[in-house]
Amino acid sequence: MTVGRIIKTDACVAEGAAWLAAQDARFERALALTGDLPLRLRPDGFDQLLSAIVSQQVSVASAAAIWGRMQEAGLVTPEAVMAASEEDLKAVGLSRQKMRYARALAAEGIDFDALREAPNEVVFKTLTKVSGIGIWTAEIYAMFSLGRADVFAPGDLALQESARMLFDLPERPKERALREMAEAWSPWRSVAARLLWAYYRVDKGREGVR
């Protein structure tokens, strides 16, 4: 098992997009509509996963407000979360379930530096051991915090719907079916995800999620 290609710059994304377009005319057509794809890299570490937990099942605005209060209170490190009382965590807007998830992440003691050099399978196994972190969150972390070029998130509803539209499928593919489809897009599955998300945004004005 190896780490594989790491996306570091816009040039990496452009290289992957050109490869996908050369492999499939439908990707070429989508790319003509979307234009250049975003890099979308973000930092890695404890706070990124804690932010992902905060964002679960709430609106973007609510998540931003809660995360802002957590940052102001300094509740963005494992030590601070473990030392915080239930009242402290409730005061910034965390539900009891998310308090439990946040403490589970803090207590896990993940070596985030080591994850940078770990194969994708190890990253997924390490992160999904934590209560509140599922495979989708782990895949998104690998894609955008670790820059992995060959990771996909087939459980993502927007990716499923975009694949349905772009590939003219009779129905939205389920997670397993889309995972199998995405094997053909290796070694640039993360760029394929960027392209499908971009295509979804372009096309959803004409045809929304059913």
Side-chain angles (χ1 to χ4, degrees), residues 78-137:
E79 297 78 14
V81 169
M82 292 301 290
S85 67
E86 184 171 314
E87 290 72 24
D88 293 332
L89 297 175
K90 183 178 180 181
V92 296
L94 290 186
S95 65
R96 288 187 181 275
Q97 183 182 56
K98 289 187 179 179
M99 290 180 202
R100 187 167 70 252
Y101 292 164
R103 285 174 169 157
L105 176 61
E108 188 66 29
I110 295 171
D111 185 342
F112 289 99
D113 290 341
L115 284 188
R116 296 173 186 169
E117 307 300 327
N120 294 332
E121 293 79 4
V122 174
V123 173
F124 302 152
K125 183 177 180 180
T126 300
L127 297 185
T128 56
K129 282 196 307 182
V130 180
S131 295
I133 296 179
I135 187 59
W136 181 88
T137 299

Side-chain angles (χ1 to χ4, degrees), residues 62-77:
S62 294
I66 295 169
W67 185 242
R69 290 194 291 269
M70 292 183 71
Q71 289 177 309
E72 289 174 8
L75 295 173
V76 293
T77 66

Side-chain angles (χ1 to χ4, degrees), residues 59 65 67 178:
S59 69
W67 185 242
L178 186 54

Side-chain angles (χ1 to χ4, degrees), residues 50-74:
L50 183 59
S51 177
I53 288 172
V54 168
S55 299
Q56 291 173 0
Q57 298 179 321
V58 297
S59 69
V60 173
S62 294
I66 295 169
W67 185 242
R69 290 194 291 269
M70 292 183 71
Q71 289 177 309
E72 289 174 8

